[in-house]
Amino acid sequence: MHFDLAYFFGLLFSTRFFGAVWMVVWITVVSMILGILIGTAGGIILTSPLPKIHPFIRAYVTFYRGIPVLVQIVFWYNGLAALTGGAINLPAITAGILALGVNEGAYMTEIVRSGIQSVDRGQREASQALNLKYWTMMRKVILPQAVRVAIPPTGNEVINMIKNTTLLFTIAIPEVFGTAVNIYSQNFKYFEVLCVIALWYVAIAFVYTQIQRQVERHFNRGRRGLYA
């Protein structure tokens, strides 16, 4: 097998992937924000004194975690239009973000729930002794502590989200993998192009990892002070 090193470096340091990389970054950010909002609401409800709503949240989590992300993407883009007779016909970007964000919400629900439940029960009892209302207790006492527990698994979800954006090429969104497909389908330099996009994904993940470390350091600062 002949590896075209000159083409590999030429493509790696070209600007052909800049737009696609930016597409991956902002889709990941928006989808994660949507997922975190849904997951925070779901996690709070699952740990709240609202037992009648719990089955609906659990059903949502089970349903979306059980269906492949690719199927969900195609549903939001093609299936929803067919289901509504064309009344709802979402643009590819909107469909992709909704698919990734709503799917992520199911995973974030479990992360938030476990984060809330990890907070020592004494914190709740102390809040109740101070006559704090439930939602005030969650906002001022429980959630700030749960965030520290939730950050590492949330970071893993961000990395997974970055990789899941590759599935959006199926609905013609010009992200990194879709751009790569267009390139190697013209010149058939599969290995060179795939190596380039692999490095781009590693670079994106590396940059995010550095950001996450700073976030973890920030939230753990006060905690270290407690045990100093």
Side-chain angles (χ1 to χ4, degrees), residues 40-58 124 134-135 138:
T40 301
I44 291 174
I45 291 172
L46 280 180
T47 55
S48 71
L50 299 171
K52 292 183 179 179
I53 306 179
H54 293 181
F56 297 100
I57 305 300
R58 292 195 186 100
R124 292 175 180 264
Y134 179 81
W135 299 111
M138 291 298 296

Side-chain angles (χ1 to χ4, degrees), residues 70-150:
L70 181 58
V71 175
Q72 296 180 44
I73 291 170
V74 174
F75 168 77
W76 282 99
Y77 186 58
N78 299 117
L80 189 61
L83 186 65
T84 60
I88 301 176
N89 196 355
L90 299 176
I93 292 290
T94 304
I97 290 173
L98 282 173
L100 295 176
V102 174
N103 176 75
E104 185 58 40
Y107 291 90
M108 287 305 304
T109 295
E110 287 298 291
I111 290 173
V112 173
R113 178 192 60 78
S114 62
I116 291 172
Q117 291 180 336
S118 71
V119 178
D120 188 87
R121 189 169 182 81
Q123 300 288 325
R124 292 175 180 264
E125 294 172 352
S127 300
Q128 291 169 352
L130 294 172
N131 293 321
L132 291 181
K133 295 182 179 179
Y134 179 81
W135 299 111
T136 303
M137 174 187 70
M138 291 298 296
R139 181 168 55 87
K140 293 187 175 181
V141 179
I142 304 300
L143 286 179
Q145 297 179 68
V147 166
R148 294 193 184 102
V149 178

Side-chain angles (χ1 to χ4, degrees), residues 160-192:
N160 286 332
M161 179 71 76
I162 291 170
K163 293 185 288 186
N164 282 340
T165 59
T166 59
L167 300 174
L168 298 178
F169 92 99
T170 57
I171 57 174
I173 292 178
E175 43 69 56
V176 173
F177 183 69
T179 301
V181 171
N182 290 334
I183 294 173
Y184 68 57
S185 63
Q186 296 172 10
N187 59 24
F188 304 106
K189 294 183 181 292
Y190 299 100
F191 193 49
E192 292 88 342

